[in-house]
Amino acid sequence: MRIILYEIGKLFNWKVIGLLFLLSFLFYQLFLSFHFEYFPNGRPAGDHFKITKQMIAKYGPEMNKKEYENFKKTYEKEVNKADKYVASQEEFANAGITTYEGFKKFDRPSNPELDNLKAEIIFKKEIDIFWELQARESIMERYEHFEERTLTNRYIDNEEWKKEYLNSESRHSILPDYVIANFSNLISMVGILIVLSVIIVVSRIHIIEYQNNAITLQYTTMEGRNLFKKKLVAAMVTATMITTVYLGIFFQLYAQNETSEFFASSLFSFEFNGHYWLDITFFQYIIASVVGVYLLSFVTAAISTYLSRVVWSYISLIGSQIPIAVVLILLIKEYLITRMFGMQYPVYLTIGTYIGLLLIGGAVLSFRWKKERIIDIV
Amino acid sequence: MIIKHELWKIAKMPIIWFLLLFFIGLNVLISLTNTDFKEDMAVLKDLVRNYGHDINVEMMTDLGDDYEEKVAWVNHIAKHDGKTYEHPSELLDTYISEKPFNEDEMQKLWQYRSIETYYRVSQDIDEFYQKLDLKDSASAIIGMYGMKDAAADTVRDQFQKLDRRLEELIENGEHKHLFFHNKVYEMHELLFEKIGRALIFELMLLFVLITAAVTNYEFENKTAAVSYTAKRGRKLALAKLAAASIAGFFVILVLIGVTFTTYFLTYDYSGLWNVPISTYFNAEMPLPYITWWNLSFLEYLGFFVLFVIIIQYLFMGITFFLSIFMKNTYLVFFCFLIIAGAGVLLPEIAPHGSNFIFYLQYTPYVMVMNPHEWLMGNGPFTIYKTYEAVTIVVWTLVTGSLCALSIRRFKRMQLH
C-alpha cells in the first residue's frame, strides 16, 4: 500500500501538474468554452429551449396527443397576440396586412420597403413573439410529421427498429436535438482531454526508473519483481483520480447550461428524427457517456503502463503514444463518445469497440506480467 | 563528420520510421476520401483536352455547339413522353425514381449532366463577378466577429485593396478558367486544408521529436558528463542542429512526396496545372478564392510546399531552443504543444476594437491553421497581402537569434 502511494506521488510531480493545468486551460479555451457560452446558440434556438422547458413543466417529459391539443391552443393564443401586434403597425395595416399569417407569408418582391420593416421587427427589435411562434411552429411541424419522416427515412435501414420506435411511448418525449448535440460535443472533448492527461501522467510510470537507473536495484529484489503489479494499481488509481476530478469540474460547469429539466426525456424524442438506437433517457445517456469515459481512461492507463515498461527512451514513448492518441481521438469523435449509440453506426460496433479496447489493454498487461518475474534486466 | 554520427543517432530511432509510416497511411486514407467523384471529374479532363481551360467567346461557342448536340440526344431518348428538355438535368430530375433508361444511357446522361454544369456555370461567371461586392463581405465579417472601431476600419480598408486586386483579376481573366467544380467537389479544401493541415501537424510532431531527441540525446543516455566536459563536446550543439535539419529535410521529402504522389495519382490534374487558383470554378464559399498575385495551381502548390518547409524549420528552431534549456524530451514536447496552443489562442486576448487582433495573428502557429488561404485575401484576420512574408521573415529572425543564443549559451552551461 505504501509503495502504491509513493508511486502515485511520483506521478504527480509539480512539473506534470503544471503541464496538466496549462493543457486543460488551453483545451477549455479552444474546444469547450464555446459550448458553454453559446448554448442555446442564438434565436430561435433560445426561444425553443425556453418553450420546451415550459412544456415539460406543464406536460411532463412526454407530450401525448391530448396535451398536444392543448399545446396547439396555446399556439393559437400566441398567434392572436401576434395578430394584434401586426395590426397595430401602421405601415402593415396600410398595406392590408393585419394578421400574423399575412405577415409571415409576405415576401420581398411585392414590397421591398415593407420587407425591410419586417426584417427590422424580427432582427433589430427582436420582438419575442415572432421568434417564439417560429419555435412553436417547428415543434408542431416535427410532432405532426415524425411518423412519415421516420417511415420515409432512407438512411435508417432497419424496419424492425422503425416499428419499435413508432410503437414506443417515448416517441412523444420532449428533448431538443441540440441539447444532446451540445452535451455530446462537450463530453467527447472532455473525454479526449482525459485520455491525453492520462497519457501524459501515467506514461512516466516505468520509464523514470530507467532514466534514474533505479531499475537495476529494483529488479534484483523480490519486492521489485512485484513492482509491475503495484505500479499498475497506482496507474489505475491515478487514472480514476484524473477522470473523477475532470468529470467533477466538467459537470459543475455543465450545470450552467441548465438542462436538468430534460433528464427524464428519452432519446426517442420526436424532435430528433430518430437518431439513436436505444430508448434511454437523457440521464441514462449521460451515465453511459461517463462509463464510456472511465473505460477509455482505464484502457489508456493500461496501454500507457505497458508502453512505459517496454520502451527505453522518452522519444519512443511519445512517438508510440501519438498513433494511439490519434486513433483514440478519431474513435471518440466518431462513435465511442460522440454519437454514442447513434444511427450512423451499428450499436454492436460501439459496444464491440469498447470490449476490443479493454481486451487489448488486458492482454498486453497480462502478457507482460508473465514475463516480469524472470526477465533479464540488462 | 560528427554530423554523420549525430545523423546516425536519429536514423537508429525506430520510432521515427514507425511514425513516418503511420502518417503516410493516415494521409493516404485522407487522400482517398473524394474518390466518389472521380468519374465525374474525368468529364472535365475531356472538356479541357477538347476546348482548353481558358473560357472565352470562341471556346464557349464550340462548347455550346457540342452541348446542343448532347441536348438533342437527350431529347431523342426522351421521345416517348412528348416533352422537350432543355438540359440533361431536367430529364434526370423528371425520372429520378423511375429510371426508364438502360445503363449505358444513364451513364451518358450523368456524364452530360456534368458537362451541363460546366457549361452553364461558365455562362454565369460574368454575371456573378458583376454582382460580387466586397463591401458586403467586409460588413458580413465585421458583423460575424463583432468588430468595432479601428479593427472594423482595417477590415474595410483591406477589402478595398482586395477590391482593386479583384478588378485586376477580372481584367486578366483569371476567373474564367475551367477547373474542378469545387462548390461540389471541394478539391481545394481536400488538398490544402485537410491534407495540407494534416501534413503540417504530422511534420511538426516529427520535427519536434527529432530535434528534441537528438539535442537531449547525451543527457538521456547518460553520456552528457563525458561528451560535454570536453571543449569540442560543447560545440556538439551545432552539429546536432545540423543533423536534425538534414533528417528533417528527409522526412519532409518522404512524407510530402508520398502523400502528393498518392493524391495526384488518384485525382488527375493533367491539363489543369496552369489554371489560375483564383478561377471561379475553384470557389468553395460564396466568396471565391482571390490570391493577391496571379498564381497558377502549380505555382500555388509550389508556394505551399515552400511555406511548409520554412515553417517546419521555424518549429525546429523553437524546439532546439527549448531543448537546450530544458534537457528533457518529454517536457520539451509538451511545452512545445502548449506554446502552439497558446499561439493559436493569443489573438483572442485582444479587444475587438483594436488592431491587435490582426497583429497577434503574425505567428507560425496561426499561419498553419488555414493553409488553404495562404496568399489570399480570404481569411478575415490574415487578409494582409504581406501576411505570410512578414510572418516568415520576422519569425526566421526570432528563431535564428534564439538558436544562435542557445548555441552560445550552451558552451558555458551547467550540466545539471
Side-chain angles (χ1 to χ4, degrees):
Chain A
M1 190 62 210
R2 215 180 48 207
I3 292 180
I4 294 174
L5 285 178
Y6 284 149
E7 290 298 337
I8 295 174
K10 274 200 283 189
L11 288 184
F12 287 104
N13 77 19
W14 63 269
K15 279 185 203 163
V16 173
I17 293 181
L19 200 68
L20 285 193
F21 263 109
L22 282 171
L23 178 81
S24 315
F25 172 74
L26 288 175
F27 219 80
Y28 176 81
Q29 290 293 337
L30 284 170
F31 305 115
L32 292 168
S33 64
F34 178 85
H35 299 290
F36 291 125
E37 274 168 41
Y38 297 94
F39 176 80
N41 194 353
R43 304 191 87 164
D47 306 85
H48 188 279
F49 193 58
K50 219 169 59 194
I51 290 167
T52 43
K53 278 183 168 183
Q54 286 166 5
M55 285 160 70
I56 287 184
K58 213 165 159 189
Y59 311 133
E62 277 144 31
M63 174 166 71
N64 60 30
K65 290 264 155 62
K66 229 166 86 193
E67 285 161 341
Y68 179 62
E69 290 306 316
N70 178 289
F71 181 74
K72 274 210 287 205
K73 261 184 211 140
T74 324
Y75 172 73
E76 299 298 332
K77 266 187 227 158
E78 296 287 311
V79 169
N80 282 339
K81 281 190 211 162
D83 284 346
K84 273 183 202 143
Y85 181 87
V86 174
S88 71
Q89 299 293 308
E90 229 176 273
E91 292 88 341
F92 281 97
N94 287 344
I97 297 166
T98 53
T99 60
Y100 171 65
E101 198 61 23
F103 179 80
K104 204 171 75 173
K105 279 208 182 120
F106 169 81
D107 57 354
R108 191 171 180 84
S110 56
N111 190 342
E113 251 171 64
L114 219 52
D115 190 68
N116 288 342
L117 209 65
K118 178 179 169 184
E120 198 184 305
I121 288 175
I122 295 178
F123 296 110
K124 282 256 173 67
K125 288 190 195 162
E126 298 203 26
I127 303 294
D128 288 342
I129 189 104
F130 294 109
W131 290 103
E132 281 169 21
L133 282 172
Q134 208 179 323
R136 281 175 190 278
E137 280 157 15
S138 84
I139 294 172
M140 279 157 57
E141 202 275 328
R142 289 187 180 201
Y143 192 86
E144 277 167 21
H145 297 295
F146 72 88
E147 282 192 13
E148 61 185 80
R149 249 196 356 235
T150 311
L151 289 173
T152 54
N153 192 334
R154 275 181 294 156
Y155 296 102
I156 308 173
D157 190 20
N158 189 333
E159 295 307 316
E160 248 170 71
W161 181 88
K162 282 184 185 177
K163 238 180 252 165
E164 189 196 325
Y165 171 69
L166 290 174
N167 288 328
S168 74
E169 280 294 306
S170 324
R171 69 187 195 279
H172 292 309
S173 273
I174 303 164
L175 181 59
D177 46 5
Y178 51 83
V179 171
I180 288 286
N182 169 264
F183 176 77
S184 163
N185 278 330
L186 280 169
I187 192 80
S188 56
M189 285 330 281
V190 171
I192 290 172
L193 176 62
I194 288 173
V195 164
L196 293 179
S197 303
V198 169
I199 287 181
I200 291 174
V201 176
V202 172
S203 284
R204 290 171 59 253
I205 195 158
H206 285 290
I207 205 162
I208 38 181
E209 312 295 356
Y210 287 121
Q211 296 293 328
N212 299 331
N213 274 343
I215 202 119
T216 38
L217 283 177
Q218 289 164 348
Y219 274 61
T220 38
T221 63
M222 265 308 249
E223 192 69 15
R225 290 284 167 163
N226 266 323
L227 214 52
F228 187 78
K229 257 189 179 167
K230 293 198 168 149
K231 280 190 186 253
L232 179 60
V233 175
M236 289 303 162
V237 172
T238 307
T240 316
M241 276 163 58
I242 293 174
T243 314
T244 311
V245 169
Y246 275 76
L247 283 177
I249 296 171
F250 164 66
F251 280 109
Q252 287 291 327
L253 289 168
Y254 184 66
Q256 75 193 39
N257 279 6
E258 292 175 349
T259 53
S260 58
E261 283 88 343
F262 300 104
F263 280 179
S265 304
S266 166
L267 293 187
F268 267 19
S269 166
F270 64 91
E271 288 266 16
F272 267 58
N273 220 353
H275 276 318
Y276 288 84
W277 286 113
L278 304 182
D279 181 9
I280 53 176
T281 64
F282 182 25
F283 189 71
Q284 285 165 331
Y285 181 77
I286 292 177
I287 300 288
S289 307
V290 168
V291 170
V293 170
Y294 270 105
L295 291 180
L296 285 170
S297 152
F298 293 146
V299 169
T300 316
I303 295 175
S304 300
T305 311
Y306 171 74
L307 282 177
S308 184
R309 181 68 186 89
V310 294
V311 155
W312 294 78
S313 65
Y314 279 126
I315 171 174
S316 309
L317 185 62
I318 298 169
S320 52
Q321 292 278 23
I322 288 173
I324 293 170
V326 169
V327 170
L328 280 179
I329 289 171
L330 289 178
L331 286 179
I332 288 174
K333 290 302 281 176
E334 210 49 53
Y335 60 85
L336 284 186
I337 304 283
T338 317
R339 296 190 284 258
M340 197 184 198
F341 306 131
M343 275 286 161
Q344 295 89 335
Y345 292 98
V347 76
Y348 298 112
L349 186 66
T350 314
I351 297 169
T353 311
Y354 273 112
I355 294 175
L357 286 173
L358 287 170
L359 283 180
I360 292 173
V364 290
L365 286 177
S366 64
F367 168 73
R368 185 69 204 180
W369 171 238
K370 279 187 191 139
K371 275 179 145 188
E372 275 293 300
R373 259 165 298 186
I374 44 160
I375 202 163
D376 218 345
I377 45 171
V378 256
Chain B
M1 270 307 92
I2 293 262
I3 294 178
K4 204 173 112 191
H5 293 296
E6 294 295 340
L7 257 177
W8 200 231
K9 286 177 190 167
I10 300 173
K12 279 202 295 196
M13 294 173 191
I15 199 67
I16 303 284
W17 300 98
F18 172 68
L19 272 182
L20 200 54
L21 279 178
F22 176 73
F23 290 148
I24 286 173
L26 210 58
N27 290 350
V28 169
L29 279 183
I30 305 174
S31 301
L32 298 180
T33 49
N34 238 2
T35 40
D36 296 353
F37 295 120
K38 258 182 90 172
E39 273 176 41
D40 240 19
M41 291 169 184
V43 170
L44 174 68
K45 208 179 125 191
D46 283 345
L47 286 182
V48 172
R49 199 190 298 128
N50 293 337
Y51 308 103
H53 56 68
D54 201 359
I55 303 172
N56 48 37
V57 183
E58 194 188 335
M59 176 265 193
M60 281 303 276
T61 25
D62 285 353
L63 179 57
D65 291 345
D66 193 19
Y67 183 64
E68 295 287 294
E69 276 171 38
K70 308 243 144 90
V71 173
W73 178 83
V74 166
N75 281 305
H76 172 73
I77 63 161
K79 265 195 302 220
H80 57 278
D81 73 351
K83 283 188 233 159
T84 27
Y85 295 94
E86 271 178 56
H87 302 291
S89 62
E90 283 175 19
L91 185 68
L92 274 168
D93 289 346
T94 317
Y95 290 108
I96 190 79
S97 47
E98 293 169 39
K99 298 209 174 76
F101 312 110
N102 64 34
E103 205 142 289
D104 273 357
E105 285 171 337
M106 271 320 268
Q107 215 176 356
K108 231 172 168 182
L109 266 177
W110 282 110
Q111 207 185 340
Y112 287 179
R113 211 188 94 122
S114 298
I115 298 177
E116 173 193 339
T117 312
Y118 284 108
Y119 180 60
R120 288 175 70 184
V121 172
S122 305
Q123 281 178 325
D124 297 339
I125 294 179
D126 280 330
E127 201 192 329
F128 176 84
Y129 278 85
Q130 261 160 27
K131 279 190 189 158
L132 182 64
D133 189 358
L134 291 185
K135 275 191 200 117
D136 291 343
S137 309
S139 18
I141 280 166
I142 290 169
M144 185 190 281
Y145 295 100
M147 291 182 198
K148 291 176 296 198
D149 313 332
D153 288 341
T154 309
V155 170
R156 274 184 223 112
D157 209 38
Q158 284 304 313
F159 268 97
Q160 219 160 31
K161 282 184 195 155
L162 194 65
D163 199 30
R164 256 171 267 151
R165 162 67 187 141
L166 184 65
E167 273 168 36
E168 184 194 305
L169 181 152
I170 293 172
E171 216 167 285
N172 291 346
E174 281 172 52
H175 59 318
K176 290 175 83 174
H177 289 271
L178 285 178
F179 200 64
F180 297 120
H181 189 223
N182 277 347
K183 281 224 165 83
V184 182
Y185 307 134
E186 298 185 329
M187 295 297 278
H188 186 82
E189 188 191 295
L190 176 67
L191 177 58
F192 292 107
E193 191 180 356
K194 290 193 186 141
I195 298 178
R197 209 190 275 159
L199 265 178
I200 291 170
F201 285 130
E202 291 159 356
L203 285 172
M204 181 181 89
L205 293 175
L206 283 168
F207 263 66
V208 173
L209 281 181
I210 289 174
T211 316
V214 75
T215 317
N216 297 320
Y217 191 90
E218 314 303 329
F219 290 105
E220 276 157 14
N221 287 287
K222 310 272 177 291
T223 48
V226 181
S227 34
Y228 294 145
T229 37
K231 202 159 190 185
R232 179 68 187 86
R234 292 295 173 123
K235 286 184 188 156
L236 274 180
L238 188 61
K240 286 179 184 298
L241 187 59
S245 307
I246 297 168
F249 195 73
F250 170 77
V251 166
I252 288 185
L253 224 58
V254 172
L255 196 57
I256 292 193
V258 176
T259 307
F260 280 179
T261 311
T262 322
Y263 180 86
F264 288 111
L265 284 179
T266 317
Y267 307 104
D268 195 349
Y269 274 69
S270 54
L272 299 172
W273 299 100
N274 293 320
V275 174
I277 205 88
S278 312
T279 178
Y280 177 69
F281 276 101
N282 199 27
E284 288 164 341
M285 303 297 219
L287 179 68
Y289 291 116
I290 303 170
T291 45
W292 286 105
W293 294 273
N294 183 359
L295 294 174
S296 68
F297 174 79
L298 194 61
E299 285 165 335
Y300 192 81
L301 190 70
F303 273 110
F304 171 80
V305 174
L306 181 71
F307 287 167
V308 169
I309 294 176
I310 295 175
I311 287 178
Q312 295 306 335
Y313 280 99
L314 294 180
F315 290 156
M316 177 177 281
I318 295 164
T319 315
F320 181 72
F321 170 73
L322 291 175
S323 300
I324 292 282
F325 289 92
M326 289 183 162
K327 304 189 183 102
N328 179 319
T329 305
Y330 203 65
L331 274 181
V332 169
F333 182 77
F334 289 107
C335 254
F336 182 90
L337 289 193
I338 282 175
I339 293 174
V344 175
L345 269 182
L346 190 63
E348 289 195 12
I349 61 167
H352 281 195
S354 88
N355 272 330
F356 276 95
I357 48 173
F358 302 104
Y359 302 149
L360 295 177
Q361 312 276 345
Y362 282 88
T363 61
Y365 302 110
V366 175
M367 189 171 155
V368 296
M369 294 312 286
N370 292 311
H372 61 300
E373 285 173 349
W374 283 345
L375 301 172
M376 291 176 178
N378 290 63
F381 294 106
T382 55
I383 189 175
Y384 292 91
K385 190 175 179 178
T386 53
Y387 171 76
E388 289 80 13
V390 171
T391 309
I392 284 174
V393 169
V394 170
W395 279 80
T396 307
L397 292 177
V398 171
T399 46
S401 29
L402 282 180
C403 284
L405 175 86
S406 30
I407 289 171
R408 276 187 53 162
R409 270 300 305 274
F410 185 71
K411 286 188 180 151
R412 48 199 111 242
M413 198 181 246
Q414 285 278 356
L415 284 186
H416 287 288

